[in-house]
């Protein structure tokens, strides 16, 4: 199982900079190429608090992008393409994971091309 996440190297490393936030389209592309059991961290923090406009933890554009990303992750889970897992890292620090599931065998067309088009 591979774990694709933006993990920071030791704090002493002067060249480290945080990875850009994951986009909805990038999440769908990752899932299209993922093997069953592959894992990606799609958010780290407190999702509900970050999405709350009254707390203003994120600006509006970041909040909208995060809402779309979280909604897409939920939809992928509902369609049976992934599992959603939350891992507690500390006080108000959670890692939100999407784990690729085995592709359902269907006689119809694949859902992934349609999902990629929707996310783009």
């Amino acid at each position: 199982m591979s774990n694709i996440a933006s993990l920071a190297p030791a704090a002493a490393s002067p060249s480290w900079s945080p990875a850009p936030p994951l986009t909805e389209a990038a999440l769908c592309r990752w899932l299209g190429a993922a093997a069953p059991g592959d894992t990606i961290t799609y958010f780290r923090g407190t999702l509900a608090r970050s999405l709350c406009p009254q707390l203003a933890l994120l600006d509006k554009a970041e909040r909208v992008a995060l809402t779309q990303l979280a909604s897409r992750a939920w939809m992928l889970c509902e369609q049976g393409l992934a599992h959603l897992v939350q891992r507690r890292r500390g006080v108000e620090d959670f890692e939100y994971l999407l784990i690729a599931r085995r592709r359902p065998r269907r006689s119809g067309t694949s859902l992934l091309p349609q999902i990629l088009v929707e996310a783009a």
Side-chain angles (χ1 to χ4, degrees):
M1 172 166 62
S2 71
N3 185 12
I4 301 176
S6 56
L7 299 175
S13 175
S15 62
W16 180 81
S17 61
L22 186 66
T23 65
E24 182 184 3
L27 180 69
C28 291
R29 281 192 304 275
W30 174 85
L31 184 60
D38 284 355
T39 302
I40 189 168
T41 298
Y42 65 94
F43 182 72
R44 176 117 186 228
T46 308
L47 189 59
R49 288 177 52 96
S50 297
L51 294 177
C52 180
Q54 290 81 9
L55 295 177
L57 297 177
L58 300 173
D59 66 30
K60 185 176 181 177
E62 291 172 323
R63 201 170 46 252
V64 167
L66 182 55
T67 299
Q68 291 172 336
L69 177 65
S71 296
R72 178 62 61 182
W74 185 261
M75 182 190 327
L76 294 170
C77 179
E78 285 183 328
Q79 292 174 336
L81 298 172
H83 296 288
L84 296 180
V85 177
Q86 185 179 17
R87 183 181 298 155
R88 185 183 181 109
R89 293 298 189 175
V91 177
E92 294 191 14
D93 182 15
F94 296 89
E95 190 175 14
Y96 295 85
L97 307 167
L98 187 126
I99 303 170
R101 291 184 61 183
R102 198 175 90 222
R103 303 279 189 268
R105 295 184 187 255
R106 296 186 178 154
S107 59
T109 60
S110 174
L111 289 173
L112 285 174
Q114 176 186 348
I115 290 169
L116 285 170
V117 169
E118 289 175 8

